[in-house]
Amino acid sequence: MEPDAIVLRSRINLGFAVDTDEGLKVVVVRDADRFGLVELAEAFERLARAAIDNTATPDDLTGQTFTISNIGALGGGHGTPIIPLGTTAIVSIGRATQEPVVEDGELSVGVVAPVDLSYDHRVIDGGLGQRFLSGLIGALESP
C-alpha cells in the first residue's frame, strides 16, 4: 500500500491514546460501534491496562480508524492533534477547568474543556468535520 493511499474500511476501530512509561501507545477497540458505553469503557480499561503493563499485543495497538487523545489527563489544554497514519481523524480533549459561563442569560460557574479535531481533508470536508465536532460537543454537554 502506498503511504498516501486512502483505504476504505468497513469497520469502526476506535483508538485511544494511553500514556505509558514507554511513551504514548494507542490501544484499539475493534468494532467499537457495536459496543454500548459501559462495554466500550470496559474494553478501553482492559486494553489501557495491557498497554501500561506492556502486555498489549500488536493487534491491540494497530488498526484504528479514528483516535481519541485525552491530553487533559496530562494537564494539556488545546492541542493540534496529528492524524495517525492509516486513520481518518483524531480528536483531543483538553483539561477541564471551572470557568464563568452564561446559560439562559445567567452567569454561573461551569466546567469547560477544549475539544480539537484534525481530519484528512481528502476524506472529510470542512463542513462535515465541523458538524461532527459540534455534535460531539453537544453530546458531551448533555446531562
Side-chain angles (χ1 to χ4, degrees):
M1 173 175 59
E2 296 294 319
D4 61 348
I6 296 173
V7 177
L8 182 60
R9 302 198 189 272
S10 59
R11 299 172 69 183
I12 298 175
N13 298 331
L14 196 54
F16 292 92
V18 178
D19 184 42
T20 74
D21 290 341
E22 291 81 31
L24 188 71
K25 295 179 183 178
V26 176
V27 297
V28 181
V29 177
R30 301 199 179 284
D31 297 314
D33 55 314
R34 298 181 184 182
F35 286 70
L37 187 58
V38 171
E39 293 84 12
L40 186 62
E42 290 170 348
F44 165 69
E45 184 176 348
R46 177 183 54 78
L47 288 163
R49 177 60 35 213
I52 291 166
D53 293 343
N54 209 23
T55 60
T57 67
D59 194 51
D60 293 335
L61 302 171
T62 58
Q64 71 269 27
T65 57
F66 184 90
T67 303
I68 298 172
S69 180
N70 178 9
I71 63 173
L74 300 175
H78 279 284
T80 304
I82 306 300
I83 307 163
L85 185 63
T87 66
T88 305
I90 180 172
V91 66
S92 70
I93 302 173
R95 183 177 190 92
T97 58
Q98 290 188 333
E99 297 183 17
V101 295
V102 177
E103 293 182 71
D104 299 322
E106 297 291 323
L107 185 62
S108 64
V109 176
V111 177
V112 178
V115 180
D116 297 290
L117 175 69
S118 295
Y119 46 89
D120 186 336
H121 278 274
R122 298 173 304 160
V123 179
I124 301 170
D125 73 31
L128 180 61
Q130 185 56 52
R131 284 190 291 280
F132 170 81
L133 184 57
S134 294
L136 176 61
I137 290 169
L140 292 171
E141 290 175 340
S142 294

